[in-house]
Amino acid sequence: MSLLRAAGISAGYSGRDDILKDVGIEVGACEIVAILGPNGAGKSTLLKTIAGLVTPRSGTLDFDGRSIAGLTPRDVSRRGVVFVPQEANVFPSLTIQENLEIGGYLDRKEMKARVAEVCERIPVLSERRRAKARTLSGGERQLLAMGMALMVGPRILLLDEPTAGLSPLAAETLFRMIKLIRDTGVAVTIVEQNAILALNNADRAYILVDGRNARSGPARDMLEDREIRRVFLGDVD
Amino acid sequence: MLQVFQLLVNGVMAGAILAVPAIGFNIVFAVLQISNFSIAALIAVGAYAGYTANVLLGLPPLLAILAAFLISGAAGVASDRLALRPLRGYGAIAVAIASLALNMVLENIVRFIFGNDVRSLDVPMMRDWIFEGIHVGPQAVFNFLVAIAAMVALFSLLSFTTVGRAMRAVADNPTLANIKGIDPEKMARLAVFLGMGMAGIAGVLLALDTAVDPTIGMRVVLSVFAAAVLGGLGSIPGAVVGGLLIGLAEQLSTLVVPVAYSSAIGFAAIILALLLFPRGILGDR
Amino acid sequence: MISYLVALLTFGAIYALLALGLNLMWGIAGMVNLGILGYYALGGYSSALLTMHLGIPVWLGVIAGALITALFGAATCIGLVKLRDDYLAIVTLGFAEVMRNIAENFVSLTNGTDGLAQIPRPRLGVTGSDFNVVYLVICVMVVLVVLAAMERLRAAPFGRVLRALRADPMVAASAGKNVLGFQVRTLAVGGFVLGLGGALYAHYLTYISPEVFQPQLMIYVFLALILGGRGNNYGAVLGTVLVLAIVEGTRFLADLVHGLDAVQIGALRAFVIGVAFIVVLQKRPHGLLPEPRRIYTDPAARS
């Protein structure tokens, strides 16, 4: 049984046409699922809809067997579905320590120990706990955003283009970390521009085009599918 | 030279009192991104709450200040809920203009109840202390210390408590704060309560300094805005720096221009400063 | 009763000029200006002083007062235009307070809080109540001329650029428009209209004092514009009429409630007007006459 199940989702921003048209995805426990597609395909909107930032106009949205459609973003987070936006994903005028504490706002028991635990996983953060988040580099900022998400013990992470603007090396590091997180029992749904990198690291993938499901399947098969490489991944061989 | 030192002392004392409502204005701006101009009337509400507690109920000044904090804070939250919150969808400027009308409404409620008569709080007249030729009134020192204590209390709340951190998080990024489990609406209410409570405290301090009438807030509000803008809208440390600079500028300007122009001087200072720093001295938004 | 009505309508016409000036600045070009009373007072004081001390004819003084205000509007624009909306609101609000401060304290020029009295009236060949009627007709004609001019301006390419600026100054700038130039001209023209209102006020009352800065007046003007329909010139005039009706209507509150002293009645009226403002804003944010829709015509389809 899948952990997260979205079916027949149509959604858009207020006063505008639908961006998502009848989209469905499923994510199993401990699975990394990549969502790929050209710019404007609705990938980010899909994550925002799951996270409660965009209200679906139709369709069902179930997490762990219960509907999460129409919940506020904080209630979605409370269920363990934690969204990490692409930009503005840390609080720049708060210190790293404070950012992590806000990350754990929903469950404030044993805060010190949990901050220490996250810092252990992401050593860059522990070195600069007193620094304001605005002083971080792009890669460090993504790691902090991830660390904040880990503070609540999520069951599924929704990551919106976490490697945007990062060097290839930093992107590789980030994906290594995502796999480590998955190994601790957290499902990951990731929107990614770099399709090859994503398919190399994900278990399964969905391709959205113009707000609709285009293809889906195991990541490995997709990497080897010549048609997919040519049509969707811009690979000209 | 002595005169300059005297003005510096006066300026710091006056500036500390100005900083209290300027912080109030900025904390509301930081969390709601709205200029709430009804702060002038809430200064008056605080002054009359303090007057009622002190003169009519016979409570000591410190309790009067606490009463003013609570009543102005509550009046701020209630009026924000009724008058301004329904307008947030129409943009910050619509709310700011409505807050001017709200200011008129609140000021006239005060006027309806208490009339236009000038009243004084019940505090003993004390002779000035004189240090090396510089005069300092004991009441002014008391007011200065209360202003400092109010600011320290607010800073501590914002820096060292979970709710303070949550409020700063909303000020930084309301959407992300919501994802992290913070209710932005609750934090907005708290910010308005604290901000307008600070205005209430300032009302009593101004009443102790001079006297109470319904225009007590309008008389200082230009300097308060000047302090808030000079330090940078939404910046709490900025409001303190702005308050001190405006207090000093207004006092020192009396060396060269008549006293009556001092509030215009404060304002001229902010226009100059804004030409150099279009986001205020410590502003980042 | 008739003379009350004539006086009321004369003030109404003057306030309609304020609403039209504000509509150009804020309604059409999107530059919020909480300092309109500063321009209004400047026009009044300038015209009064020029006619009193230099003995120039009243109508020349009125035009000169409006021109001085226009120049001043252009000058303030250059200082303020870089500021973001929320800073602009506070700074313009403060600007009017500074003007009031100067009017109250620069006694040798403005006669302080006592104000300037015995400002000359224009020679209209009639006196007493006849004068008031003729003056009212002139004021109404001025409003009609300004209204027509503002409508021409709104529909002209100039007005289209201003609306583009209101929507997004960055886009307008990248489309090659000289943003500052347009904003300076807007504040100059708007300042002219506000100054004109102030001058007509001064020569009507033959008296001007810092009381022209009463904060209620600014609220009335904004209320008029919001009630009538921000961005719509006819709405600005209609709104002024309605606001005048509300304000004058509250006079009858005194007859409805008994046992209040004068201060309390004044406070009650201000309370009612303030609440009316907030209710209008909440219930009718786009006013009675919404801004006229722009009709797009595809140039290619026309031929």
Side-chain angles (χ1 to χ4, degrees), chain C residues 167-223:
Chain C
D168 192 339
M170 302 294 266
V171 171
S174 59
K177 303 297 179 191
N178 173 3
V179 173
L180 179 64
F182 276 97
Q183 288 174 325
V184 166
R185 276 180 278 167
T186 304
L187 281 201
V189 174
F192 184 91
V193 175
L194 295 172
L196 192 62
L200 288 175
Y201 167 88
H203 293 285
Y204 175 62
L205 272 193
T206 71
Y207 172 72
I208 187 167
S209 76
E211 278 179 28
V212 294
F213 288 100
Q214 51 171 326
Q216 286 99 312
L217 180 54
M218 185 182 60
I219 292 182
Y220 298 165
V221 176
F222 271 89
L223 177 56

Side-chain angles (χ1 to χ4, degrees), chain A residues 53 73-74 77-78 82-83 85 88-94 98 101-103 105-106 108 134 145 148-149, chain B residues 158-159 162-163 165-170 172-184 186-187 284:
Chain A
L53 292 165
R74 52 185 184 281
S77 297
R78 200 167 279 143
V82 178
F83 173 56
N89 50 16
V90 302
F91 299 104
S93 75
L94 271 57
E98 287 172 332
E101 288 175 8
I102 291 292
Y105 185 85
L106 280 170
R108 298 194 280 281
R134 71 158 60 86
M148 289 165 73
Chain B
L158 289 177
S159 307
T162 303
V163 75
R165 272 192 289 276
M167 204 161 13
R168 285 189 294 138
V170 173
D172 255 15
N173 185 340
T175 309
L176 187 63
N178 198 342
I179 294 169
K180 296 302 171 196
I182 302 166
D183 181 352
K186 215 156 91 187
M187 289 303 142
D284 58 358

Side-chain angles (χ1 to χ4, degrees), chain C residues 127-198:
Chain C
T127 52
S129 58
D130 288 347
F131 172 89
N132 290 340
V133 173
V134 176
Y135 200 84
L136 168 63
V137 171
I138 292 170
C139 285
V140 169
M141 276 161 46
V142 170
V143 170
L144 291 177
V145 169
V146 170
L147 177 64
M150 289 293 139
E151 270 300 292
R152 289 285 296 270
L153 209 56
R154 193 185 62 75
F158 182 77
R160 282 207 296 276
V161 174
L162 293 188
R163 289 194 301 266
L165 286 184
R166 182 184 66 189
D168 192 339
M170 302 294 266
V171 171
S174 59
K177 303 297 179 191
N178 173 3
V179 173
L180 179 64
F182 276 97
Q183 288 174 325
V184 166
R185 276 180 278 167
T186 304
L187 281 201
V189 174
F192 184 91
V193 175
L194 295 172
L196 192 62

Side-chain angles (χ1 to χ4, degrees), chain A residues 32-39 43 161-164 171-172 175 190-209 215 217-225 227-235:
Chain A
I32 297 180
V33 171
I35 305 200
L36 311 173
N39 278 329
K43 306 180 301 276
E161 297 197 29
T163 65
E172 289 283 356
F175 265 104
I190 183 164
V191 165
E192 185 51 63
Q193 283 287 347
N194 185 339
I196 304 293
L197 181 66
L199 289 175
N200 272 317
N201 288 283
D203 300 311
R204 283 191 310 117
Y206 289 85
I207 297 178
L208 299 189
V209 174
R215 297 288 291 264
R220 199 128 303 279
D221 297 356
M222 283 188 148
L223 263 180
E224 285 159 9
D225 186 321
E227 195 207 338
I228 288 181
R229 288 187 78 109
R230 192 170 50 80
V231 176
F232 297 113
L233 309 181
D235 194 342

